[in-house]
């Protein structure tokens, strides 16, 4: 069957199409932005939500999962937002700056705008920016490919978000948390544009908290990393919810730039965490890590495309997945090397640990190389707990459950510790222990 052929709409697709016109009238945007929204909606009409006949979504059929589509979330009451923010335990007592987006809208009064300004960081509303002459540029994402369904859905319905700009040479003293909150039911469609100037350094914490009964979340983080700049982005996707969590990273790297990220998944029923990394300047490096803990009948999909379009760049991808019950894990990773991207060095590894006989893992690492002077490799493993190691620990008086916890923690911690952000490592490892205690 042709994946691009028109298909009969599901209830969720009909919901999205039917409410588009009324939703659009309440959404910000210039004439050019409105045209981009219409074009994205046209893609949804023609192709539907991403489904298994689309190769990139073969193992994570969003169309089958979404039985209906929730209306967009309405504006949040500031007191309710403050209460949810105070109750949020995303990164514990870690000292950081915060930028708050609630129910799809930037909440300036609860964000550390003045403190960030003193660090050389400006923060403004995406909603305001979309109404400007340059607004359409914020929604154009050619590096994701023209046909990505999640980005199209985000473009059509994006409510708001933030525009963050770090001035040249700034070294932000504390991590910046972009926290997205839900205070009521309703879908949230958010886009955050983060521009990091030449020679600047920024650490970002991406988190999602609030009402677990809220609808799907579709958020795009679009990073522009200038020459000699450095970014570390930690994404925390946790909390039990039966609504889809759809997260996209677009990262464009200049010359001699560094970008690293860690996507940490534990709890939601359906997660798609996808990343598009694009090298546009020479002698740059990207390090992409993923940790997924999946139980019950949940699904966690970590998808990654790294485009080496210029010479002399390095990339490392290292992903770990633990599955229990009837859970399904997905890793799809591809390194593309353009014909003139000589001296590329890329390595990709995905490893899965299955704690039950009914769990499933789909590993799909790929290399697409059109240059001849490169060093690229990929690998994938899936297996169960090593019985010899388990026996070794039990022989030393460690109870079986504790011994299994130690082995799983050691398995996942390899990626967490290699990521190297020491101030978040302890908190993430505690989340691993908490998840294991329930499984």
């Amino acid at each position: 069957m042709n994946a691009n052929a028109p298909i009969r709409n599901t209830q969720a697709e009909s919901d999205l199409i039917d409410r588009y016109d009324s939703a659009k009238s309440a959404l910000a945007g210039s004439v050019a932005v409105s045209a981009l929204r219409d074009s994205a909606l046209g893609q949804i009409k023609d192709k539907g939500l991403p489904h298994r006949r689309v190769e990139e979504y073969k193992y994570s059929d969003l169309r089958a999962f979404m039985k209906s589509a929730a209306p967009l979330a309405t504006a949040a009451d500031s007191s309710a937002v403050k209460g949810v923010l105070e109750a949020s335990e995303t990164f514990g007592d870690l000292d950081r700056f915060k930028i708050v987006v609630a129910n799809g809208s930037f909440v300036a009064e609860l964000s550390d705008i003045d403190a960030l300004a003193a660090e050389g960081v400006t923060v403004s509303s995406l909603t305001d920016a979309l109404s400007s002459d340059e607004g359409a540029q914020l929604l154009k994402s050619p590096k994701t490919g023209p046909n990505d369904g999640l980005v199209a859905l985000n473009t059509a319905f994006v409510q708001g978000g933030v525009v963050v700009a770090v001035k040249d040479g700034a070294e932000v003293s504390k991590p910046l948390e972009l926290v997205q909150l839900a205070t009521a039911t309703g879908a949230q469609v958010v886009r955050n544009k983060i521009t990091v100037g030449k020679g600047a350094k920024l650490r970002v914490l991406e988190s999602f908290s609030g009402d677990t009964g809220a609808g799907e979340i579709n958020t795009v983080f679009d990073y522009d990393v200038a020459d000699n700049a450095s970014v570390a982005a930690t994404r925390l996707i946790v909390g039990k919810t039966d609504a889809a969590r759809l997260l996209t990273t677009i990262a464009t790297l200049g010359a001699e730039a560094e970008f690293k990220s860690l996507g940490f998944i534990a709890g939601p029923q359906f997660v798609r965490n996808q990343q598009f990394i694009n090298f546009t300047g020479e002698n740059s490096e990207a390090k992409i890590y993923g940790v997924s803990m999946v139980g019950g009948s949940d699904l966690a999909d970590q998808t990654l495309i790294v485009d080496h379009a210029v010479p002399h760049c390095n990339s490392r991808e290292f992903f770990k997945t633990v599955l229990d019950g009837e859970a399904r894990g997905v890793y799809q990773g591809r390194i593309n090397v353009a014909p003139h991207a000589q001296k590329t060095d890329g390595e990709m590894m995905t490893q899965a640990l299955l704690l039950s006989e009914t769990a499933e893992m789909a590993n799909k690492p790929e290399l697409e190389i059109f240059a001849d002077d490169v060093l690229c490799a990929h690998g994938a493993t899936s297996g169960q707990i090593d019985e010899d190691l388990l026996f070794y620990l039990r022989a030393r008086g460690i109870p079986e459950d504790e011994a299994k916890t130690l082995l799983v923690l050691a398995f996942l911690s390899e990626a967490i510790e290699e990521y190297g952000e020491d101030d978040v490592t302890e908190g993430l490892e505690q989340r691993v222990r908490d998840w294991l205690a329930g499984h």
Side-chain angles (χ1 to χ4, degrees):
M1 184 178 291
N2 183 354
N4 294 319
I7 54 178
R8 180 178 297 178
N9 290 335
T10 64
Q11 182 61 54
E13 290 161 348
S14 295
D15 290 343
L16 292 166
I17 294 168
D18 291 346
R19 69 171 59 107
Y20 173 71
D21 288 336
S22 60
K24 181 183 171 184
S25 65
L27 296 172
S30 63
V31 173
V33 167
S34 180
L36 287 174
R37 291 187 188 275
D38 291 345
S39 177
L41 195 278
Q43 180 176 328
I44 297 169
K45 286 181 177 179
D46 292 343
K47 300 180 179 180
L49 293 168
H51 52 82
R52 61 184 174 83
R53 295 195 299 276
V54 178
E55 184 64 25
E56 292 82 2
Y57 290 84
K58 180 177 180 179
Y59 303 105
S60 52
D61 191 334
L62 180 63
R63 188 172 191 261
F65 175 78
M66 284 183 62
K67 305 305 180 186
S68 62
L72 293 176
T74 56
D77 176 81
S78 58
S79 61
V81 175
K82 187 175 182 180
V84 172
L85 183 62
E86 290 174 349
S88 172
E89 298 180 353
T90 49
F91 289 94
D93 59 359
L94 177 65
D95 189 20
R96 72 261 195 201
F97 301 110
K98 287 186 180 181
I99 295 176
V100 180
V101 175
N103 293 6
S105 299
F106 173 44
V107 185
E109 62 269 24
L110 295 178
S111 301
D112 297 323
I113 298 176
D114 293 340
L116 284 164
E119 299 268 344
V121 181
T122 60
V123 183
S124 57
S125 168
L126 180 87
T127 302
D128 295 340
L130 290 179
S131 299
S132 69
D133 293 338
E134 295 78 26
Q137 296 300 319
L138 297 172
L139 295 188
K140 290 182 179 179
S141 302
K143 293 297 184 179
T144 66
N147 299 317
D148 184 74
L150 297 191
V151 176
L153 190 61
N154 183 279
T155 300
F157 289 95
V158 61
Q159 299 163 280
V162 293
V163 179
V164 178
V166 184
K167 72 177 184 180
D168 292 353
E171 295 189 16
V172 184
S173 62
K174 298 186 295 188
L176 165 58
E177 182 180 8
L178 285 167
V179 54
Q180 189 169 328
L181 303 176
T183 67
T185 58
Q188 295 189 46
V189 185
V190 173
R191 189 168 298 206
N192 300 309
K193 175 70 176 182
I194 302 101
T195 302
V196 184
K198 293 181 179 180
K201 294 184 179 180
L202 178 69
R203 293 185 296 158
V204 180
L205 310 173
E206 306 166 359
S207 66
F208 310 85
S209 299
D211 189 344
T212 57
E216 63 268 15
I217 288 176
N218 182 328
T219 301
V220 172
F221 295 83
D222 189 352
Y223 289 93
D224 272 342
V225 187
D227 298 351
N228 299 108
S230 172
V231 172
T234 307
R235 176 170 297 164
L236 193 61
I237 314 168
V238 298
K240 194 63 183 175
T241 175
D242 59 2
R245 296 292 179 258
L246 312 171
L247 293 313
T248 301
T249 293
I250 305 164
T252 304
L253 280 62
E256 299 183 14
E258 296 180 359
F259 180 84
K260 67 176 181 178
S261 70
L262 170 67
F264 186 97
I265 299 173
Q269 187 174 356
F270 186 106
V271 177
R272 166 88 171 192
N273 183 44
Q274 59 178 16
Q275 302 184 68
F276 302 89
I277 313 300
N278 309 286
F279 290 100
T280 63
E282 295 188 24
N283 299 304
S284 293
E285 182 173 62
K287 295 181 178 180
I288 314 300
Y289 302 91
V291 171
S292 302
M293 296 174 290
V294 203
S297 59
D298 298 345
L299 177 143
D301 178 341
Q302 300 260 25
T303 288
L304 173 71
I305 298 176
V306 180
D307 277 325
H308 284 269
V310 295
H312 301 283
C313 290
N314 302 331
S315 67
R316 296 290 183 269
E317 297 81 36
F318 190 26
F319 286 74
K320 296 272 195 171
T321 305
V322 171
L323 304 111
D324 197 9
E326 298 179 348
R328 291 176 296 150
V330 179
Y331 173 80
Q332 298 182 103
R334 187 169 79 239
I335 297 176
N336 298 327
V337 182
H340 55 282
Q342 305 294 349
K343 302 297 182 180
T344 288
D345 186 347
E347 292 184 8
M348 178 185 298
M349 173 59 74
T350 170
Q351 298 177 332
L353 186 62
L354 282 65
L355 304 182
S356 75
E357 297 288 342
T358 51
E360 298 180 5
M361 183 69 196
N363 282 319
K364 189 186 174 190
E366 300 175 272
L367 301 175
E368 193 170 275
I369 302 172
F370 295 98
D372 55 12
D373 188 5
V374 303
L375 182 63
C376 292
H378 66 61
T381 66
S382 293
Q384 297 176 321
I385 287 178
D386 189 315
E387 292 296 332
D388 290 338
L389 291 176
L390 183 61
F391 176 80
Y392 176 86
L393 293 175
R394 294 189 67 191
R396 278 146 184 80
I398 299 175
E400 182 174 1
D401 286 347
E402 185 178 344
K404 288 181 177 179
T405 295
L406 290 172
L407 291 174
V408 175
L409 179 60
F411 173 79
L412 294 175
S413 292
E414 187 178 1
I416 296 172
E417 291 175 2
E418 189 171 314
Y419 175 57
E421 295 298 303
D422 294 340
D423 49 2
V424 301
T425 295
E426 183 177 349
L428 295 179
E429 290 182 341
Q430 184 56 51
R431 286 186 179 274
V432 173
R433 296 186 187 94
D434 293 342
W435 185 87
L436 290 170
H439 292 78

